[in-house]
Amino acid sequence: MCGIVGFVGKKQASSILVEGLSKLEYRGYDSAGVAIIDNDHINVVKCKGRLKNLENKLSEHPLKGIVGIGHTRWATHGKPSDLNAHPHNSQDGTISVVHNGIIENYVQLREWLTSKGYKFVSETDTEVIPQLIEYFYKGDIVEAVMRAISKIKGSYAVGVICSKEPGKLVAVRKDSPLIVGLGKDEYYIASDIPAVLNHTRDIYLLNDNEFVVITKDGVKLLSEDKKEIKRDVYHVTWSANAAEKGGFDHFMMKEIHEQPKAIKDTMTSRIMPGKPITLDDIKITKEQIKNINKIYIVACGTAYHAGIVGKYVIEKLVRMPVEVDIASEFRYRNPIIDEKTLMIIISQSGETADTLAALREAKAQGARVIAITNVVGSSVSREADDVLYTWAGPEIAVASTKAYVTQLIAMYIIALFFAQHKGTISEEKMEEIKKDMLTLPIKAEEVLSNKDIIQEFAEKIYKEQDVFFLGRGLDYAVALEGSLKLKEISYIHSEAYAGGELKHGPIALIEDGTVVIVGATQGYLVEKMISNIKEVTTRGANVLAFAFEGSDEVSKAVDSVMYLPKVNDIFAPVLSVIPLQLLAYYISIKKGCDVDKPRNLAKSVTVE
Ligand code: M6R
């Protein structure tokens, strides 16, 4: 996730681009840059760090020109650095490009372009775009962009300028957002509406595979086969603040709704039907995997809950012993580690002090460390031996949602990668699992479309003092996460228990009206869960269960059920956590709490 902007008009572009970028910093902030055409030259200023650094650099090296593009980056390929920052230029410097998305076939394109004599200066996937455009350029930039785009696989919103056609800006999108702002004698492109709202409220919303050509005379929308497209102007009536949240009231709700895309992005180029799993930043060899005799998964908070899912899945698919630990416990308990130990560290921010300390402890004792993190270039990613990035984009709300589901996806990918190397599941089974996994984005959308049931339930129970969550197996892991979410943002006391533990103590707390949320998605455990449900309903509990569609036995046992579309049981947590996130959200709103910034909490816990 990154933010792109572009401008064509009569005013100086530089300050307009920077102002637009400032409204898109929520989409990424590890580096930023602008490229502006001055007569027949493209000048680029870009640098690592927040937009402030770019502003300082621009005040030292001001750029002149009335046509330009800008970018604020959230790194996926290549660490945050001056060189990896966008815009990226073609080899001869005549073409400059900003890009948001992921180019899946960049390795092949890079090799092909290298064989044609092109040299690359960055580690990004993006740099293939300007080089390809330069390769195809024969005097018509629109034609060259179209030819280059036809070679690219993946997701993109791209803005292009060319010094040989200095009054023009070309843009295109597929699976990444892009809008066009229509001012008076000036035009804009942007990843999101807030970037243009200070200048215009009239915009074109672009669809996939549509091209935009902007000159001082106006905007033309073109289809892939160069047919002109007519589009109605959309007039924005929201406030700038609401627009930044994509029309949602809070970042948390926006991020909950971004989960289908985040899931898809995290699987992109890693899980493909009929192809082995290949992971760019994981260098561990087949031999080294075979040598491992124990895995520790270590993390904090929500990331720790993703680790519990990881344990169940790795043990099931790879048949290796896995221990999950809370980082603050692990670092002080003198764990048994040697060079046959593998540690998997999970951290959204990659900067959590306890997690980092646990990583260092394990490395010092000879373990190999794989990091799962959302932040390219974070401390965890730099210190681990191997990294698997979750491509969730920046998570702003303190309560983690999309980072969690992508951590689950990362755990499945690692489990399948190990199973592939150790041969613990047949090729046929592997294909079946991958096929099912690839349906998760669409099924997550389906769950989101049923949120009314959750809202109604939230309205009934928001005054409760205590809520209990129950589950067995993977449902227990999700219960822990649901309970954490609820206490974090609604301040309701809640506990999660493994179903079988109920009779060992917690059942003493169940009385008339006690709210119990039950997970019953694991086929082989559903009967056991129904017994647990009966144990609490006989004592007067008010139960909301989540189960797969068609689980009639569950619906008969409870008052309220949230049905989830059927997937392989191992993937249930990806879907079942969504209603729990929504429940916490709706209760928090109803209670008037600060959803995005709950009391006493911080997004990144960099102190012990
Ligand atoms: O950045 P990390 O994933 O290392 O953060 C770990 C926890 O602090 C974090 O998951 C925390 O529990 C969240 N607020 C949960 O919503």
Side-chain angles (χ1 to χ4, degrees):
M1 183 141 138
C2 304
I4 73 173
V5 291
F7 176 74
V8 177
K10 291 180 180 160
K11 297 179 194 142
Q12 289 298 308
S14 181
S15 56
I16 293 174
L17 294 174
V18 170
E19 188 231 21
L21 291 178
S22 72
K23 303 286 189 293
L24 297 179
E25 257 198 313
Y26 75 90
R27 301 181 62 84
Y29 41 73
D30 63 45
S31 52
V34 293
I36 295 176
I37 305 183
D38 185 6
N39 291 314
D40 57 353
H41 249 84
I42 294 179
N43 295 314
V44 178
V45 172
K46 56 184 189 173
C47 57
K48 183 180 162 185
R50 295 272 175 147
L51 197 56
K52 194 83 211 118
N53 298 0
L54 177 68
E55 286 179 69
N56 293 341
K57 216 166 165 182
L58 279 168
S59 63
E60 285 162 25
H61 309 278
L63 293 188
K64 274 200 328 191
I66 54 172
V67 174
I69 49 179
H71 190 271
T72 177
R73 181 167 186 248
W74 181 259
T76 57
H77 295 68
K79 60 186 174 302
S81 67
D82 289 358
L83 263 186
N84 289 334
H86 299 214
H88 288 284
N89 279 5
S90 64
Q91 186 159 275
D92 68 6
T94 59
I95 286 152
S96 195
V97 166
V98 285
H99 164 226
N100 164 34
I102 297 167
I103 307 299
E104 284 168 25
N105 57 337
Y106 82 100
V107 176
Q108 296 89 310
L109 290 172
R110 208 173 159 122
E111 279 167 10
W112 182 73
L113 285 159
T114 307
S115 75
K116 303 273 176 218
Y118 283 85
K119 297 218 163 27
F120 287 81
V121 292
S122 79
E123 302 159 320
T124 64
D125 53 340
T126 301
E127 204 185 345
V128 298
I129 307 174
Q131 307 282 41
L132 268 181
I133 299 174
E134 182 189 303
Y135 178 82
F136 287 118
Y137 188 75
K138 303 274 177 294
D140 180 348
I141 187 63
V142 179
E143 174 71 24
V145 171
M146 285 185 160
R147 292 197 65 188
I149 291 297
S150 71
K151 301 284 173 220
I152 286 170
K153 289 198 186 118
S155 60
Y156 45 81
V158 171
V160 184
I161 52 174
C162 171
S163 59
K164 292 182 182 162
E165 297 179 49
K168 217 174 255 177
L169 190 160
V170 184
V172 58
R173 66 154 277 179
K174 183 182 159 271
D175 295 335
S176 287
L178 192 65
I179 58 112
V180 180
L182 308 164
K184 193 172 173 327
D185 297 328
E186 55 188 35
Y187 308 98
Y188 310 81
I189 58 159
S191 301
D192 202 354
I193 295 169
V196 304
L197 274 190
N198 277 346
H199 307 281
T200 179
R201 290 188 163 265
D202 289 338
I203 60 171
Y204 285 147
L205 298 167
L206 293 187
N207 296 323
D208 278 351
N209 307 313
E210 289 180 346
F211 291 79
V212 191
V213 184
I214 306 180
T215 62
K216 66 176 180 27
D217 303 320
V219 176
K220 228 188 237 181
L221 303 189
L222 297 175
S223 63
E224 285 166 292
D225 49 3
K226 295 190 200 150
K227 296 224 168 70
E228 201 166 335
I229 302 167
K230 290 272 163 266
R231 179 67 31 87
D232 291 338
V233 174
Y234 173 74
H235 186 74
V236 181
T237 49
W238 319 326
S239 70
N241 187 29
E244 196 166 294
K245 293 176 187 138
F248 292 101
D249 291 337
H250 301 94
F251 279 109
M252 182 180 176
M253 196 54 152
K254 176 169 175 273
E255 287 160 7
I256 288 174
H257 281 80
E258 282 171 350
Q259 291 181 117
K261 177 156 190 328
I263 294 167
K264 184 167 180 257
D265 285 350
T266 304
M267 291 193 292
T268 291
S269 75
R270 294 163 171 170
I271 300 292
M272 291 185 281
K275 293 202 180 144
I277 299 168
T278 42
L279 304 174
D280 283 1
D281 292 315
I282 297 206
K283 310 280 178 247
I284 190 168
T285 62
K286 195 170 176 169
E287 271 327 294
Q288 285 166 324
I289 293 174
K290 282 194 175 146
N291 232 349
I292 297 165
N293 61 13
K294 179 176 196 170
I295 298 176
Y296 282 111
I297 304 180
V298 180
C300 303
T302 285
Y304 166 71
H305 297 154
I308 299 176
V309 172
K311 171 186 166 72
Y312 281 104
V313 174
I314 295 175
E315 288 187 346
K316 183 177 168 86
L317 299 179
V318 194
R319 307 302 300 151
M320 268 190 193
V322 183
E323 244 186 76
V324 196
D325 213 339
I326 294 165
S328 54
E329 288 298 309
F330 180 90
R331 63 185 289 194
Y332 293 120
R333 76 172 166 81
N334 198 6
I336 301 160
I337 299 172
D338 60 27
E339 37 325 311
K340 291 193 167 185
T341 309
L342 176 76
M343 181 194 225
I344 302 177
I345 280 286
I346 312 177
S347 174
Q348 184 284 130
S349 61
E351 302 295 346
T352 301
D354 285 321
T355 310
L356 197 52
L359 179 159
R360 289 178 182 152
E361 176 65 26
K363 280 201 83 171
Q365 292 190 44
R368 187 177 181 104
V369 179
I370 297 182
I372 295 175
T373 180
N374 196 35
V375 182
V376 178
S378 56
S379 304
V380 154
S381 75
R382 280 183 275 119
E383 296 192 29
D385 299 291
D386 305 285
V387 189
L388 184 62
Y389 289 110
T390 50
W391 287 333
E395 194 178 59
I396 311 285
V398 166
S400 188
T401 53
K402 62 176 181 171
Y404 172 76
V405 294
T406 56
Q407 285 161 358
L408 299 184
I409 297 296
M411 287 303 340
Y412 296 128
I413 292 173
I414 289 179
L416 291 170
F417 181 69
F418 281 15
Q420 172 181 290
H421 283 309
K422 290 197 59 149
T424 45
I425 51 178
S426 68
E427 271 181 37
E428 207 183 3
K429 184 81 192 153
M430 176 71 86
E431 283 309 308
E432 190 188 307
I433 293 177
K434 286 197 293 184
K435 200 169 150 213
D436 214 28
M437 194 169 168
L438 289 165
T439 66
L440 286 171
I442 199 132
K443 289 180 178 161
E445 288 282 9
E446 241 179 87
V447 178
L448 284 168
S449 68
N450 279 328
K451 52 182 182 287
D452 295 358
I453 304 171
I454 297 298
Q455 189 166 10
E456 279 162 30
F457 191 76
E459 283 177 15
K460 282 189 210 148
I461 69 159
Y462 76 98
K463 286 193 182 141
E464 292 298 319
Q465 303 275 330
D466 309 282
V467 171
F468 294 90
F469 290 77
L470 290 180
R472 288 172 182 255
L474 288 169
D475 289 327
Y476 169 52
V478 178
L480 289 163
E481 176 57 9
S483 169
L484 177 67
K485 228 55 332 156
L486 187 66
K487 47 172 102 80
E488 263 188 307
I489 61 167
S490 77
Y491 317 141
I492 292 179
H493 166 248
S494 78
E495 303 280 351
Y497 290 104
E501 274 294 288
L502 202 56
K503 55 191 174 295
H504 298 289
I507 200 162
L509 296 168
I510 308 294
E511 53 186 11
D512 208 21
T514 307
V515 175
V516 182
I517 320 272
V518 176
T521 66
Q522 302 297 295
Y524 68 113
L525 294 169
V526 166
E527 260 182 42
K528 303 272 173 210
M529 264 342 283
I530 290 176
S531 306
N532 291 138
I533 290 171
K534 293 205 170 125
E535 282 159 15
V536 294
T537 47
T538 358
R539 289 165 177 86
N542 173 13
V543 176
L544 167 71
F546 49 94
F548 285 130
E549 278 157 359
S551 306
D552 297 341
E553 65 278 41
V554 178
S555 64
K556 278 184 205 140
V558 297
D559 299 326
S560 318
V561 193
M562 169 83 191
Y563 284 117
L564 306 168
K566 182 75 186 109
V567 271
N568 186 318
D569 286 4
I570 59 166
F571 298 129
V574 177
L575 303 181
S576 58
V577 77
I578 298 174
L580 303 188
Q581 297 166 341
L582 288 166
L583 183 68
Y585 174 85
Y586 286 126
I587 292 179
S588 175
I589 299 293
K590 209 61 198 150
K591 291 186 69 177
C593 305
D594 188 344
V595 177
D596 285 338
K597 291 197 187 81
R599 70 185 181 205
N600 307 339
L601 297 175
K603 184 67 189 163
S604 180
V605 187
T606 52
V607 289
E608 200 183 342

